[in-house]
Amino acid sequence: LKLAKEAFQVLLKQYPEMANLSPREMEVFEQLLSDKTLPMVADELCISESAAHFHCKNIYRKLKLSSRRQLLMMYKDLYE
């Protein structure tokens, strides 16, 4: 999922809580919507696994979620 600026604005209208995510967290968020493991996400974004884990936890906190499963259920229309 590569979010163009226009598409991102539309996305924010549907999911205003995503405005709280940093650009890097948005990149990690996009990767989390796929079936990639966290090590694969880290590799894809050229960051350490601990950095990917840190961003992941921040995403969950900012979106008021507690797991990747919740993230996938809440945002399933973005990856279908």
Side-chain angles (χ1 to χ4, degrees):
L1 259 194
K2 294 292 182 188
L3 300 174
K5 288 182 180 181
E6 296 161 2
F8 184 66
Q9 293 306 316
V10 171
L11 181 68
L12 286 181
K13 287 180 183 176
Q14 188 173 1
Y15 301 105
E17 69 276 11
M18 293 180 71
N20 297 324
L21 300 181
S22 71
R24 181 55 110 182
E25 289 167 347
M26 278 301 299
E27 291 175 336
V28 173
F29 176 83
E30 290 179 44
Q31 296 294 317
L32 291 174
L33 291 177
S34 70
D35 61 352
K36 294 177 183 167
T37 64
L38 207 52
M40 291 167 70
V41 169
D43 187 54
E44 179 79 22
L45 298 176
C46 299
I47 58 176
S48 69
E49 286 183 40
S50 62
H53 180 74
F54 176 79
H55 290 305
C56 189
K57 291 298 178 186
N58 282 340
I59 292 166
Y60 295 162
R61 180 179 50 80
K62 290 179 179 183
L63 299 180
K64 296 179 173 70
L65 303 169
S66 60
S67 68
R68 187 170 183 176
R69 183 179 189 142
Q70 281 185 332
L71 181 136
L72 292 172
M73 289 172 56
M74 180 78 127
Y75 300 98
K76 65 183 173 189
D77 59 318
L78 297 178
Y79 67 91
E80 291 181 335

